[in-house]
Amino acid sequence: MTFNPLMRAAAVAIVALTGATAQAADITGAGATFPFPIYSKWADAYKTATGNGLNYQSIGSGAGIKQIQAKTVTFGATDMPLKADALKKDGLVQWPMVMGGIVPVVNLEGVKPGELTLDGETLADIYLGKITKWDDAAIKKLNAKLTLPSAAITVVRRSDGSGTTFNFTDYLSKVSKDWADKVGSDAAVEWPVGVGAKGNDGVAGNVAQTKNSIGYVEYAYAKQNKLTFADMVNKAGKHVEPTVAAFQAAAANADWANAPGYYQILTNQPGEASWPITAATFILMYGEPSDKAASMEAIKFFDWAFAKGDKMAEELDYIPMPASVATLIRKTWADSIKNK
Amino acid sequence: MTDMILQEGAVEAPTNAWRAKALASFKLGDSVFRLLAQIAAATVLLLLGGIIISLIIGAWPAISTYGFDFLTTQRWAPNARPNPVLGGLGPIYGTLISSVIALLIAVPVGLGISIFLTELCPQWLRRPVGVAVELLAGIPSIIYGMWGFFVLGPMLADSIEPAIVDAVENIPVLNVIFAGPASNLSLFNASLVLAIMILPFVTAIARDVFNTVPPVLKEAAYGLGCTTWEVVRRVVIPYTRVGVIGGVMLALGRALGETMAVTFVIGNSFRITGSIFGPGTTISAAIASEFAESRDLHQSALILLGLLLFVLTFFVLAAARLMLMRLERKQGV
């Protein structure tokens, strides 16, 4: 029985390993790529402040929903909110965590961030493949001052299902009947044209790499990758730049208190200063978690993020949830998540 | 004497018993070994069968919904209302086209390299060139993907592809195959990356089979006054034809299934444009980019695509095996 000591060593090692992981139990979450920059920033600060880590995998909203349904993570994150009946069916609790803007980004020689202006219909026509050249009359009309090349537009969009796509196509459906009829809005749609890239970072990388291209990303990705974002014309017909103030103006319209499961879509909001493609990103957790301690730890993190994370969110051009909404959400936690 | 005999008998008896015991234990050891080896062999078959069965089970909803239409439908609309419309023609087309273009490029170059290595190369250069080819095979596929994305893609889209598009503008058929607008991420880019990836396979196998040509045949041909080209054309290639084709099939098998590098550079578009400068997708790229977010029928359709790839690759590899077996038999004679 020469292997006995070996087996004993292996057993000891296994115990030691599992013991170690149990001790350093990170909060685990997975989902949307849209809020990944701010979640990782919060996670860093939270680790410094409390010693507890957060392991967030930005695998996409749809995958986040699937992971939480499979109970492999403590929380799921999605930009595509679940409706109240879907939440009820799975016993999930949902709340908005942070808001942000989705911006069109372009790669055009000689065009700097904010110099190009687009409106909803033009953007929809580009993504429908109806506008194929940068010097198309519709784009020229909005940009009288720019000299645009007579080059073919390379459309970049997501290849994976995505909450960013959901909000983007939701906006296009609201502003273009053609888009609503032919494509519609969903996390993954049947794209008429374009090349597909994986994740917000994939789209950002593709646009940075491809001349005469256009894509759409969460504003933080545009900023971090120093991409040329475009201004938009909003529902009120006003020209707006993607700024925190413009995102906030759109977000101010949301009526969180009366939305079951906090289901709110913030695209194409009224108001002269509103950025048209604004979105909230949501967290999903079980109302009756099987691992109460982990659920507790996660809630502690979110509570801390609402209390201390606003400034960090603003630094990355996200819009923190208003204090009144945070209070509502804290009440939801107390009422609906049984982790005591 | 009797004493002696008795003694001898006494000595012999335990020896026999010991020998029988030893033999028995050998026999036991052997049968245990045999059993273990059999189990190991059975595991492979079980795994293979298990994979096929689980693929079929996973793909069943899609098979029963779409049937053979799946193979001829181009539309891929997982969000269509009321029911998703999913057809595999786009990825199947992309898989076949990118693999065929990759072969068209890699086979001549690979054969050229191996002919150079076996017939023309000075002895001192053989090793460096051989090692360089083998190193190509060792580079992880994601590196090829990154190279295709950052270097090859812009180069093709900015200079090479527009030049070809302009050159063939007025030639029928060609102006469809090589139609603009040139895209960084395209079927052509993916095919080039694949060609480089399968080049080492073609080269290594071709070199090995070229080395099996008996020197006496080549020397006889040279003795008759053949040029090197004639020796290669009339002796080496005919002698090794089946082996070379087997190697090409193995390379094709690899090209069909390659995922990461292709997903990076192919553009992930399900539409068939007819132009190889436009984006496309392959079966494995489609699965890699959509599987995580898929559910229900969408997921089942992706699994069905996987099953189709499995079947396709199986036939390619089976054909390669068959040809290699025929070569071996020929050599045996």
Side-chain angles (χ1 to χ4, degrees):
Chain A
M1 287 300 179
T2 50
F3 52 80
N4 234 350
L6 200 73
M7 277 183 64
R8 210 178 306 143
V12 168
I14 288 165
V15 169
L17 276 174
T18 47
T21 47
Q23 251 174 20
D26 281 354
I27 304 158
T28 57
T33 59
F34 169 96
F36 176 62
I38 180 61
Y39 288 177
S40 53
K41 189 161 189 179
W42 279 341
D44 270 358
Y46 188 65
K47 176 115 189 164
T48 325
T50 65
N52 290 333
L54 170 80
N55 175 9
Y56 181 74
Q57 300 163 28
S58 63
I59 53 177
S61 294
I65 295 171
K66 265 206 324 209
Q67 293 288 328
I68 185 74
Q69 281 168 344
K71 303 192 180 183
T72 52
V73 288
T74 310
F75 71 89
T78 174
D79 308 327
M80 184 170 61
L82 293 180
K83 295 218 168 98
D85 49 339
L87 291 171
K88 207 168 168 187
K89 203 182 90 207
D90 285 331
L92 287 165
V93 178
Q94 172 177 269
W95 69 88
M97 198 61 218
V98 70
M99 296 175 286
I102 295 162
V103 297
V105 286
V106 298
N107 181 345
L108 276 172
E109 221 166 282
V111 177
K112 291 190 195 64
E115 283 187 355
L116 186 78
T117 306
L118 295 169
D119 61 12
E121 216 163 317
T122 310
L123 194 58
D125 283 349
I126 291 174
Y127 271 85
L128 277 169
K130 283 208 251 166
I131 295 178
T132 57
K133 299 254 179 189
W134 279 111
D135 59 354
D136 191 281
I139 306 177
K140 269 187 168 164
K141 210 176 106 195
L142 292 162
N143 299 282
K145 284 182 200 153
L146 283 179
T147 36
L148 291 159
S150 173
I153 303 174
T154 301
V155 172
V156 183
R157 36 80 178 176
R158 294 285 287 269
S159 64
D160 48 342
S162 135
T164 313
T165 298
F166 169 76
N167 284 296
F168 183 71
T169 53
D170 180 79
Y171 170 66
L172 295 185
S173 298
K174 281 177 181 162
V175 293
S176 157
K177 191 173 175 311
D178 224 12
W179 182 274
D181 290 346
K182 284 188 185 149
V183 187
S185 71
D186 208 332
V189 296
E190 188 191 7
W191 296 100
V193 289
V195 297
K198 213 165 155 57
N200 263 304
D201 39 1
V203 172
N206 259 299
V207 171
Q209 191 65 24
T210 313
K211 276 184 199 154
N212 304 316
S213 61
I214 184 166
Y216 59 92
V217 291
E218 202 284 318
Y219 185 60
Y221 286 89
K223 215 170 166 189
Q224 278 172 11
N225 293 293
K226 300 194 173 58
L227 294 174
T228 307
F229 54 80
D231 292 352
M232 291 288 297
V233 177
N234 66 12
K235 194 178 183 183
K238 293 281 186 264
H239 170 270
V240 279
E241 291 171 22
T243 56
V244 171
F247 302 154
Q248 220 143 22
N253 286 302
D255 181 15
W256 297 106
N258 294 314
Y262 296 97
Y263 186 93
Q264 283 278 339
I265 312 274
L266 302 174
T267 57
N268 207 31
Q269 293 290 332
E272 295 205 339
S274 295
W275 179 253
I277 329 175
T278 305
T281 183
F282 298 81
I283 299 288
L284 292 167
M285 276 178 69
Y286 274 101
E288 286 171 33
S290 47
D291 185 346
K292 289 193 164 62
S295 168
M296 193 79 150
E297 285 302 316
I299 292 291
K300 270 191 207 155
F301 167 75
F302 294 125
D303 186 57
W304 176 91
F306 279 140
K308 305 252 164 81
D310 288 2
K311 206 168 152 285
M312 281 177 263
E314 276 165 4
E315 278 167 20
L316 289 177
D317 301 283
Y318 288 92
I319 311 140
M321 301 308 296
S324 58
V325 181
T327 313
L328 272 176
I329 294 168
R330 286 197 175 96
K331 192 168 170 319
T332 304
W333 292 340
D335 294 347
S336 314
I337 300 183
K338 295 170 182 63
N339 55 11
K340 299 268 155 44
Chain B
M1 282 297 272
T2 40
D3 272 7
M4 284 278 284
I5 290 163
L6 269 177
Q7 267 176 354
E8 267 173 17
V11 174
E12 225 161 69
T15 316
N16 268 342
W18 176 80
R19 187 181 291 160
K21 209 172 136 191
L23 279 176
S25 80
F26 286 157
K27 210 170 159 188
L28 179 74
D30 239 16
S31 59
V32 167
F33 174 68
R34 190 192 161 94
L35 188 71
L36 286 176
Q38 276 172 346
I39 291 173
T43 314
V44 175
L45 290 176
L46 277 178
L47 275 177
L48 190 68
I51 290 171
I52 294 174
I53 290 169
S54 55
L55 277 178
I56 291 174
I57 292 173
W60 191 250
I63 295 174
S64 56
T65 310
Y66 302 114
F68 278 104
D69 287 349
F70 189 79
L71 299 176
T72 53
T73 309
Q74 197 198 127
R75 195 162 167 225
W76 182 267
N79 70 323
R81 303 281 181 265
N83 293 311
V85 179
L86 299 163
L89 190 61
I92 294 169
Y93 165 86
T95 304
L96 293 177
I97 292 289
S98 60
S99 299
V100 167
I101 297 175
L103 280 187
L104 286 180
I105 297 166
V107 169
V109 177
L111 290 186
I113 296 173
S114 39
I115 289 169
F116 177 74
L117 283 176
T118 52
E119 306 296 329
L120 304 166
C121 186
Q123 203 67 37
W124 59 269
L125 197 60
R126 252 174 222 202
R127 262 190 98 74
V129 176
V131 168
V133 171
E134 276 154 28
L135 277 180
L136 270 185
I139 297 175
S141 65
I142 190 75
I143 310 262
Y144 284 107
M146 283 162 63
W147 177 78
F149 184 79
F150 287 113
V151 183
L152 189 62
M155 204 166 85
L156 288 174
D158 295 344
S159 42
I160 298 172
E161 289 178 359
I164 299 177
V165 171
D166 288 346
V168 301
E169 204 170 10
N170 298 317
I171 308 170
V173 182
L174 285 187
N175 63 5
V176 175
I177 298 174
F178 300 110
S183 160
N184 270 17
L185 308 180
S186 62
L187 272 172
F188 188 54
N189 188 345
S191 306
L192 285 180
V193 168
L194 275 179
I196 298 168
M197 292 180 74
I198 61 174
L199 185 63
F201 286 75
V202 178
T203 309
I205 294 176
R207 188 185 55 185
D208 288 351
V209 293
F210 287 168
N211 276 330
T212 65
V213 179
V216 67
L217 285 186
K218 287 194 273 182
E219 278 155 23
Y222 281 121
L224 288 172
C226 288
T227 59
T228 313
W229 162 245
E230 283 166 334
V231 171
V232 170
R233 171 80 185 72
R234 307 269 171 204
V235 177
V236 176
I237 301 256
Y239 189 86
T240 56
R241 191 177 53 223
V242 183
V244 168
I245 293 173
V248 169
M249 296 294 230
L250 285 179
L252 178 61
R254 158 124 208 208
L256 288 173
E258 174 51 39
T259 309
M260 250 4 267
V262 172
T263 312
F264 245 66
V265 297
I266 201 161
N268 300 307
S269 163
F270 281 79
R271 267 163 216 276
I272 299 172
T273 58
S275 166
I276 61 168
F277 292 161
T281 190
T282 66
I283 292 176
S284 47
I287 296 172
S289 49
E290 298 210 349
F291 199 79
E293 297 274 332
S294 63
R295 59 183 87 189
D296 308 332
L297 208 52
H298 183 195
Q299 188 162 65
S300 176
L302 288 172
I303 296 173
L304 177 54
L305 279 178
L307 182 66
L308 289 173
L309 181 62
F310 188 88
V311 172
L312 202 63
T313 319
F314 178 81
F315 277 116
V316 167
L317 291 182
R321 279 265 131 220
L322 213 68
M323 285 185 188
L324 287 174
M325 249 158 64
R326 268 174 56 192
L327 177 80
E328 273 158 22
R329 210 178 308 140
K330 199 165 110 190
Q331 271 185 329
V333 172

